[in-house]
Amino acid sequence: MKTDKAKRYIVLGILFFLPVAFLLMLYPAKHNYDPLNIVNNNVSDIEGFISDRADSVALKGHITVLGFLGKRPLDKMIAASNLKELVYDKFKGFKNFQIVIVVPKGTENDIKALKKEINTYEDLKYWHYAFATEGEIKMLYNTLKSKDNLGEDLSVSDVFIIDKDLSQRGRLDGRDEKEVEDKKPAFSVYSYNSIEVAEIKNMMSDDVRILFTEYRQKREGKFENSDSRRNRELKEDNE
């Protein structure tokens, strides 16, 4: 009887301490993550664009996922659905987060139809459509760093992460750990293909989360950029 009771306490102790130990192992990693790189400064704001809502829409002061659906937005249903399900639904509760989709003036009816398809049972209050002229859209896109040109229909499959200070975020080295170990050539990530589910679900979702972590740590006074962290680590190594 005593043996059974002792075994029971041992099992309960293991079940209690294993999750605690796991969290303790993860804790240091929270303070040593690599911040999301600034890949481009001075992205144009969109205050002059017309919002689909009564209130105005702007990029400054928000963490924005910015997309371009072009003259035929209904043809980009897959891209819009991916953003809604894999990005918007995950981050809609975070302060100052928004998705902004830029479309040309004259697509208002198509946007109404698109809303019916992707809004389903909720009002996407942090999802905005911004209507602009062809010239305004091209000028905005030209302030972004991208490996792809804006299409003739003013659309592109890529979406962009813009921070609160109108800086474009991404990765100066987009390789994962295995690619680094295998010494694969380095490549930069300026944007994310909204058609590729794995890229949006994994890479982009992780990058948005990293950016929110950066802003939270800045509020708490715990944020270190890569340069300051490197200097601190070098100092610790020399002590």
Short mmCIF file of all heavy atoms in Angstrom, two decimals, residues 68-114:
data_model
loop_
_atom_site.label_atom_id
_atom_site.label_comp_id
_atom_site.label_asym_id
_atom_site.label_seq_id
_atom_site.Cartn_x
_atom_site.Cartn_y
_atom_site.Cartn_z
N PHE A 68 -1.91 44.31 -52.13
CA PHE A 68 -2.41 44.96 -53.33
C PHE A 68 -3.19 43.94 -54.15
O PHE A 68 -2.60 43.02 -54.73
CB PHE A 68 -1.25 45.51 -54.18
CG PHE A 68 -0.42 46.56 -53.49
CD1 PHE A 68 0.54 46.20 -52.53
CD2 PHE A 68 -0.59 47.91 -53.79
CE1 PHE A 68 1.31 47.16 -51.88
CE2 PHE A 68 0.18 48.87 -53.16
CZ PHE A 68 1.13 48.50 -52.21
N LEU A 69 -4.51 44.10 -54.22
CA LEU A 69 -5.35 43.13 -54.94
C LEU A 69 -5.68 43.56 -56.36
O LEU A 69 -6.24 42.77 -57.13
CB LEU A 69 -6.64 42.86 -54.17
CG LEU A 69 -6.50 42.10 -52.85
CD1 LEU A 69 -7.87 41.68 -52.33
CD2 LEU A 69 -5.59 40.89 -52.97
N GLY A 70 -5.39 44.79 -56.73
CA GLY A 70 -5.52 45.20 -58.12
C GLY A 70 -6.94 45.45 -58.61
O GLY A 70 -7.88 45.57 -57.83
N LYS A 71 -7.06 45.49 -59.93
CA LYS A 71 -8.32 45.87 -60.58
C LYS A 71 -9.37 44.75 -60.55
O LYS A 71 -10.54 45.01 -60.78
CB LYS A 71 -8.05 46.27 -62.03
CG LYS A 71 -7.13 47.48 -62.18
CD LYS A 71 -6.84 47.78 -63.65
CE LYS A 71 -5.92 48.98 -63.79
NZ LYS A 71 -5.59 49.26 -65.23
N ARG A 72 -8.95 43.54 -60.28
CA ARG A 72 -9.89 42.40 -60.24
C ARG A 72 -9.73 41.67 -58.91
O ARG A 72 -9.26 40.52 -58.87
CB ARG A 72 -9.64 41.46 -61.42
CG ARG A 72 -9.91 42.11 -62.78
CD ARG A 72 -9.71 41.12 -63.94
NE ARG A 72 -8.32 40.73 -64.04
CZ ARG A 72 -7.39 41.42 -64.70
NH1 ARG A 72 -7.70 42.56 -65.29
NH2 ARG A 72 -6.13 41.00 -64.74
N PRO A 73 -10.11 42.30 -57.82
CA PRO A 73 -9.88 41.71 -56.49
C PRO A 73 -10.55 40.36 -56.29
O PRO A 73 -10.04 39.54 -55.52
CB PRO A 73 -10.43 42.77 -55.53
CG PRO A 73 -11.30 43.66 -56.35
CD PRO A 73 -10.75 43.64 -57.73
N LEU A 74 -11.67 40.12 -56.97
CA LEU A 74 -12.34 38.82 -56.81
C LEU A 74 -11.48 37.68 -57.34
O LEU A 74 -11.64 36.53 -56.90
CB LEU A 74 -13.70 38.83 -57.50
CG LEU A 74 -14.79 39.65 -56.80
CD1 LEU A 74 -16.03 39.73 -57.67
CD2 LEU A 74 -15.13 39.06 -55.44
N ASP A 75 -10.57 37.99 -58.26
CA ASP A 75 -9.67 36.96 -58.77
C ASP A 75 -8.59 36.59 -57.75
O ASP A 75 -7.88 35.61 -57.93
CB ASP A 75 -8.98 37.43 -60.06
CG ASP A 75 -9.96 37.57 -61.22
OD1 ASP A 75 -11.09 37.05 -61.10
OD2 ASP A 75 -9.58 38.19 -62.23
N LYS A 76 -8.48 37.40 -56.71
CA LYS A 76 -7.46 37.17 -55.68
C LYS A 76 -8.08 36.62 -54.40
O LYS A 76 -7.59 36.86 -53.31
CB LYS A 76 -6.73 38.49 -55.38
CG LYS A 76 -6.18 39.21 -56.60
CD LYS A 76 -5.16 38.35 -57.35
CE LYS A 76 -4.47 39.12 -58.48
NZ LYS A 76 -5.40 39.54 -59.53
N MET A 77 -9.15 35.86 -54.57
CA MET A 77 -9.88 35.32 -53.43
C MET A 77 -9.00 34.43 -52.54
O MET A 77 -9.07 34.48 -51.31
CB MET A 77 -11.09 34.52 -53.90
CG MET A 77 -11.98 34.01 -52.79
SD MET A 77 -13.01 35.31 -52.13
CE MET A 77 -14.11 35.58 -53.53
N ILE A 78 -8.13 33.63 -53.16
CA ILE A 78 -7.27 32.72 -52.39
C ILE A 78 -6.32 33.52 -51.51
O ILE A 78 -6.14 33.21 -50.33
CB ILE A 78 -6.50 31.79 -53.33
CG1 ILE A 78 -7.45 30.83 -54.04
CG2 ILE A 78 -5.44 31.00 -52.56
CD1 ILE A 78 -6.78 29.94 -55.07
N ALA A 79 -5.71 34.55 -52.09
CA ALA A 79 -4.79 35.38 -51.32
C ALA A 79 -5.50 36.04 -50.14
O ALA A 79 -5.00 36.04 -49.01
CB ALA A 79 -4.17 36.45 -52.22
N ALA A 80 -6.69 36.59 -50.38
CA ALA A 80 -7.45 37.24 -49.32
C ALA A 80 -7.85 36.25 -48.23
O ALA A 80 -7.76 36.54 -47.03
CB ALA A 80 -8.68 37.92 -49.90
N SER A 81 -8.27 35.06 -48.62
CA SER A 81 -8.67 34.03 -47.65
C SER A 81 -7.48 33.59 -46.81
O SER A 81 -7.61 33.37 -45.60
CB SER A 81 -9.29 32.84 -48.37
OG SER A 81 -10.48 33.20 -49.03
N ASN A 82 -6.32 33.43 -47.44
CA ASN A 82 -5.12 33.04 -46.69
C ASN A 82 -4.77 34.08 -45.64
O ASN A 82 -4.44 33.75 -44.49
CB ASN A 82 -3.94 32.86 -47.64
CG ASN A 82 -4.04 31.58 -48.46
OD1 ASN A 82 -4.83 30.70 -48.16
ND2 ASN A 82 -3.25 31.50 -49.51
N LEU A 83 -4.85 35.34 -46.01
CA LEU A 83 -4.54 36.40 -45.06
C LEU A 83 -5.54 36.44 -43.91
O LEU A 83 -5.18 36.64 -42.74
CB LEU A 83 -4.53 37.76 -45.76
CG LEU A 83 -3.37 38.02 -46.72
CD1 LEU A 83 -3.54 39.37 -47.41
CD2 LEU A 83 -2.04 37.98 -46.00
N LYS A 84 -6.80 36.21 -44.25
CA LYS A 84 -7.83 36.24 -43.21
C LYS A 84 -7.65 35.09 -42.22
O LYS A 84 -7.66 35.28 -41.00
CB LYS A 84 -9.21 36.18 -43.86
CG LYS A 84 -10.37 36.54 -42.94
CD LYS A 84 -10.90 35.35 -42.19
CE LYS A 84 -12.07 35.74 -41.28
NZ LYS A 84 -12.50 34.61 -40.43
N GLU A 85 -7.46 33.89 -42.73
CA GLU A 85 -7.43 32.71 -41.87
C GLU A 85 -6.10 32.52 -41.16
O GLU A 85 -6.05 32.05 -40.02
CB GLU A 85 -7.75 31.46 -42.71
CG GLU A 85 -9.17 31.45 -43.26
CD GLU A 85 -9.42 30.31 -44.23
OE1 GLU A 85 -8.54 29.43 -44.34
OE2 GLU A 85 -10.48 30.30 -44.88
N LEU A 86 -4.99 32.88 -41.83
CA LEU A 86 -3.67 32.56 -41.29
C LEU A 86 -3.00 33.74 -40.60
O LEU A 86 -2.06 33.55 -39.82
CB LEU A 86 -2.76 32.05 -42.41
CG LEU A 86 -3.28 30.83 -43.18
CD1 LEU A 86 -2.33 30.47 -44.31
CD2 LEU A 86 -3.47 29.64 -42.24
N VAL A 87 -3.46 34.96 -40.87
CA VAL A 87 -2.83 36.14 -40.26
C VAL A 87 -3.84 36.93 -39.43
O VAL A 87 -3.67 37.13 -38.23
CB VAL A 87 -2.19 37.05 -41.33
CG1 VAL A 87 -1.54 38.27 -40.67
CG2 VAL A 87 -1.16 36.28 -42.15
N TYR A 88 -4.93 37.38 -40.06
CA TYR A 88 -5.89 38.22 -39.35
C TYR A 88 -6.47 37.51 -38.13
O TYR A 88 -6.51 38.08 -37.03
CB TYR A 88 -7.01 38.64 -40.29
CG TYR A 88 -8.00 39.59 -39.63
CD1 TYR A 88 -7.78 40.96 -39.63
CD2 TYR A 88 -9.15 39.11 -39.00
CE1 TYR A 88 -8.66 41.84 -39.01
CE2 TYR A 88 -10.04 39.97 -38.38
CZ TYR A 88 -9.79 41.33 -38.39
OH TYR A 88 -10.66 42.18 -37.76
N ASP A 89 -6.95 36.29 -38.31
CA ASP A 89 -7.58 35.58 -37.20
C ASP A 89 -6.61 35.36 -36.04
O ASP A 89 -7.03 35.25 -34.88
CB ASP A 89 -8.12 34.22 -37.67
CG ASP A 89 -9.38 34.38 -38.51
OD1 ASP A 89 -9.93 35.49 -38.56
OD2 ASP A 89 -9.80 33.38 -39.13
N LYS A 90 -5.32 35.31 -36.33
CA LYS A 90 -4.32 35.05 -35.29
C LYS A 90 -3.94 36.31 -34.52
O LYS A 90 -3.67 36.25 -33.33
CB LYS A 90 -3.07 34.45 -35.93
CG LYS A 90 -2.01 33.99 -34.94
CD LYS A 90 -0.93 33.20 -35.64
CE LYS A 90 0.06 32.63 -34.64
NZ LYS A 90 1.11 31.83 -35.31
N PHE A 91 -3.94 37.47 -35.20
CA PHE A 91 -3.41 38.68 -34.58
C PHE A 91 -4.44 39.78 -34.36
O PHE A 91 -4.09 40.87 -33.90
CB PHE A 91 -2.25 39.24 -35.42
CG PHE A 91 -1.07 38.32 -35.50
CD1 PHE A 91 -0.82 37.59 -36.64
CD2 PHE A 91 -0.21 38.17 -34.42
CE1 PHE A 91 0.28 36.73 -36.71
CE2 PHE A 91 0.88 37.33 -34.48
CZ PHE A 91 1.13 36.60 -35.62
N LYS A 92 -5.70 39.52 -34.64
CA LYS A 92 -6.71 40.57 -34.58
C LYS A 92 -6.91 41.13 -33.18
O LYS A 92 -7.43 42.23 -33.01
CB LYS A 92 -8.05 40.05 -35.12
CG LYS A 92 -8.63 38.88 -34.33
CD LYS A 92 -9.90 38.36 -34.97
CE LYS A 92 -10.46 37.15 -34.23
NZ LYS A 92 -11.66 36.62 -34.88
N GLY A 93 -6.50 40.42 -32.16
CA GLY A 93 -6.65 40.92 -30.80
C GLY A 93 -5.50 41.77 -30.32
O GLY A 93 -5.56 42.34 -29.23
N PHE A 94 -4.44 41.88 -31.12
CA PHE A 94 -3.26 42.64 -30.70
C PHE A 94 -3.46 44.13 -30.97
O PHE A 94 -3.99 44.52 -32.00
CB PHE A 94 -2.02 42.14 -31.45
CG PHE A 94 -1.51 40.82 -30.96
CD1 PHE A 94 -2.14 39.64 -31.31
CD2 PHE A 94 -0.39 40.75 -30.15
CE1 PHE A 94 -1.68 38.42 -30.87
CE2 PHE A 94 0.08 39.54 -29.70
CZ PHE A 94 -0.56 38.37 -30.05
N LYS A 95 -2.97 44.95 -30.05
CA LYS A 95 -3.15 46.39 -30.14
C LYS A 95 -2.43 46.95 -31.37
O LYS A 95 -1.29 46.62 -31.64
CB LYS A 95 -2.61 47.06 -28.88
CG LYS A 95 -2.90 48.54 -28.80
CD LYS A 95 -2.40 49.11 -27.48
CE LYS A 95 -2.69 50.60 -27.38
NZ LYS A 95 -2.22 51.17 -26.10
N ASN A 96 -3.14 47.80 -32.11
CA ASN A 96 -2.60 48.53 -33.27
C ASN A 96 -2.32 47.65 -34.48
O ASN A 96 -1.68 48.10 -35.43
CB ASN A 96 -1.33 49.30 -32.90
CG ASN A 96 -1.58 50.36 -31.83
OD1 ASN A 96 -2.58 51.04 -31.87
ND2 ASN A 96 -0.67 50.47 -30.88
N PHE A 97 -2.80 46.42 -34.48
CA PHE A 97 -2.63 45.57 -35.65
C PHE A 97 -3.72 45.85 -36.68
O PHE A 97 -4.87 46.10 -36.32
CB PHE A 97 -2.69 44.09 -35.25
CG PHE A 97 -2.76 43.16 -36.43
CD1 PHE A 97 -1.64 42.92 -37.20
CD2 PHE A 97 -3.96 42.53 -36.78
CE1 PHE A 97 -1.70 42.06 -38.30
CE2 PHE A 97 -4.02 41.68 -37.87
CZ PHE A 97 -2.89 41.45 -38.63
N GLN A 98 -3.35 45.80 -37.96
CA GLN A 98 -4.34 45.95 -39.02
C GLN A 98 -3.84 45.30 -40.31
O GLN A 98 -2.64 45.14 -40.52
CB GLN A 98 -4.66 47.43 -39.28
CG GLN A 98 -3.48 48.22 -39.83
CD GLN A 98 -3.82 49.68 -40.12
OE1 GLN A 98 -4.94 50.12 -39.92
NE2 GLN A 98 -2.85 50.44 -40.61
N ILE A 99 -4.79 44.93 -41.15
CA ILE A 99 -4.50 44.54 -42.52
C ILE A 99 -5.09 45.62 -43.42
O ILE A 99 -6.24 46.01 -43.26
CB ILE A 99 -5.09 43.17 -42.87
CG1 ILE A 99 -4.30 42.07 -42.14
CG2 ILE A 99 -5.07 42.92 -44.38
CD1 ILE A 99 -4.78 40.66 -42.44
N VAL A 100 -4.29 46.12 -44.36
CA VAL A 100 -4.73 47.13 -45.32
C VAL A 100 -4.54 46.60 -46.72
O VAL A 100 -3.43 46.21 -47.10
CB VAL A 100 -3.96 48.46 -45.15
CG1 VAL A 100 -4.35 49.44 -46.25
CG2 VAL A 100 -4.23 49.07 -43.78
N ILE A 101 -5.62 46.54 -47.47
CA ILE A 101 -5.59 46.08 -48.86
C ILE A 101 -5.84 47.28 -49.76
O ILE A 101 -6.90 47.91 -49.69
CB ILE A 101 -6.65 45.00 -49.12
CG1 ILE A 101 -6.44 43.80 -48.18
CG2 ILE A 101 -6.61 44.56 -50.58
CD1 ILE A 101 -5.11 43.10 -48.35
N VAL A 102 -4.88 47.60 -50.60
CA VAL A 102 -4.98 48.74 -51.51
C VAL A 102 -5.57 48.27 -52.84
O VAL A 102 -5.12 47.29 -53.42
CB VAL A 102 -3.59 49.37 -51.74
CG1 VAL A 102 -3.67 50.48 -52.77
CG2 VAL A 102 -3.04 49.91 -50.42
N VAL A 103 -6.60 48.98 -53.29
CA VAL A 103 -7.26 48.66 -54.57
C VAL A 103 -7.58 49.95 -55.32
O VAL A 103 -7.71 51.02 -54.71
CB VAL A 103 -8.57 47.86 -54.33
CG1 VAL A 103 -8.28 46.43 -53.91
CG2 VAL A 103 -9.45 48.55 -53.29
N PRO A 104 -7.70 49.86 -56.64
CA PRO A 104 -8.00 51.07 -57.42
C PRO A 104 -9.44 51.53 -57.22
O PRO A 104 -10.34 50.73 -56.94
CB PRO A 104 -7.77 50.63 -58.87
CG PRO A 104 -7.07 49.32 -58.79
CD PRO A 104 -7.46 48.70 -57.49
N LYS A 105 -9.65 52.81 -57.35
CA LYS A 105 -11.01 53.33 -57.37
C LYS A 105 -11.76 52.69 -58.54
O LYS A 105 -11.20 52.45 -59.60
CB LYS A 105 -10.98 54.84 -57.54
CG LYS A 105 -10.42 55.59 -56.34
CD LYS A 105 -10.39 57.10 -56.58
CE LYS A 105 -9.85 57.84 -55.37
NZ LYS A 105 -9.77 59.30 -55.60
N GLY A 106 -13.04 52.41 -58.32
CA GLY A 106 -13.83 51.73 -59.33
C GLY A 106 -14.05 50.26 -59.03
O GLY A 106 -14.82 49.59 -59.72
N THR A 107 -13.37 49.74 -57.99
CA THR A 107 -13.53 48.33 -57.62
C THR A 107 -14.45 48.17 -56.40
O THR A 107 -14.49 47.10 -55.79
CB THR A 107 -12.17 47.69 -57.32
OG1 THR A 107 -11.55 48.40 -56.22
CG2 THR A 107 -11.26 47.73 -58.53
N GLU A 108 -15.19 49.22 -56.06
CA GLU A 108 -16.01 49.19 -54.85
C GLU A 108 -17.01 48.04 -54.83
O GLU A 108 -17.19 47.37 -53.80
CB GLU A 108 -16.75 50.53 -54.67
CG GLU A 108 -15.86 51.69 -54.25
CD GLU A 108 -15.12 52.33 -55.42
OE1 GLU A 108 -15.27 51.83 -56.56
OE2 GLU A 108 -14.40 53.32 -55.21
N ASN A 109 -17.66 47.75 -55.95
CA ASN A 109 -18.64 46.66 -55.99
C ASN A 109 -17.97 45.30 -55.83
O ASN A 109 -18.51 44.40 -55.17
CB ASN A 109 -19.43 46.71 -57.30
CG ASN A 109 -20.41 47.88 -57.34
OD1 ASN A 109 -20.85 48.38 -56.31
ND2 ASN A 109 -20.74 48.33 -58.55
N ASP A 110 -16.80 45.15 -56.44
CA ASP A 110 -16.07 43.89 -56.27
C ASP A 110 -15.65 43.69 -54.82
O ASP A 110 -15.68 42.56 -54.30
CB ASP A 110 -14.82 43.88 -57.16
CG ASP A 110 -15.15 43.63 -58.62
OD1 ASP A 110 -16.29 43.22 -58.91
OD2 ASP A 110 -14.28 43.85 -59.47
N ILE A 111 -15.28 44.77 -54.16
CA ILE A 111 -14.88 44.67 -52.76
C ILE A 111 -16.07 44.28 -51.88
O ILE A 111 -15.94 43.48 -50.94
CB ILE A 111 -14.25 45.99 -52.27
CG1 ILE A 111 -12.91 46.21 -52.96
CG2 ILE A 111 -14.09 45.99 -50.75
CD1 ILE A 111 -11.89 45.11 -52.75
N LYS A 112 -17.24 44.81 -52.18
CA LYS A 112 -18.44 44.40 -51.43
C LYS A 112 -18.68 42.90 -51.57
O LYS A 112 -19.01 42.21 -50.59
CB LYS A 112 -19.65 45.18 -51.94
CG LYS A 112 -19.67 46.64 -51.53
CD LYS A 112 -20.92 47.33 -52.07
CE LYS A 112 -20.93 48.81 -51.69
NZ LYS A 112 -22.13 49.52 -52.24
N ALA A 113 -18.50 42.38 -52.78
CA ALA A 113 -18.68 40.95 -53.01
C ALA A 113 -17.59 40.14 -52.30
O ALA A 113 -17.87 39.07 -51.73
CB ALA A 113 -18.66 40.66 -54.51
N LEU A 114 -16.37 40.66 -52.30
CA LEU A 114 -15.27 39.98 -51.63
C LEU A 114 -15.50 39.90 -50.13
O LEU A 114 -15.25 38.87 -49.49
CB LEU A 114 -13.95 40.69 -51.93
CG LEU A 114 -12.68 40.08 -51.36
CD1 LEU A 114 -12.45 38.70 -51.96
CD2 LEU A 114 -11.48 40.98 -51.62
#
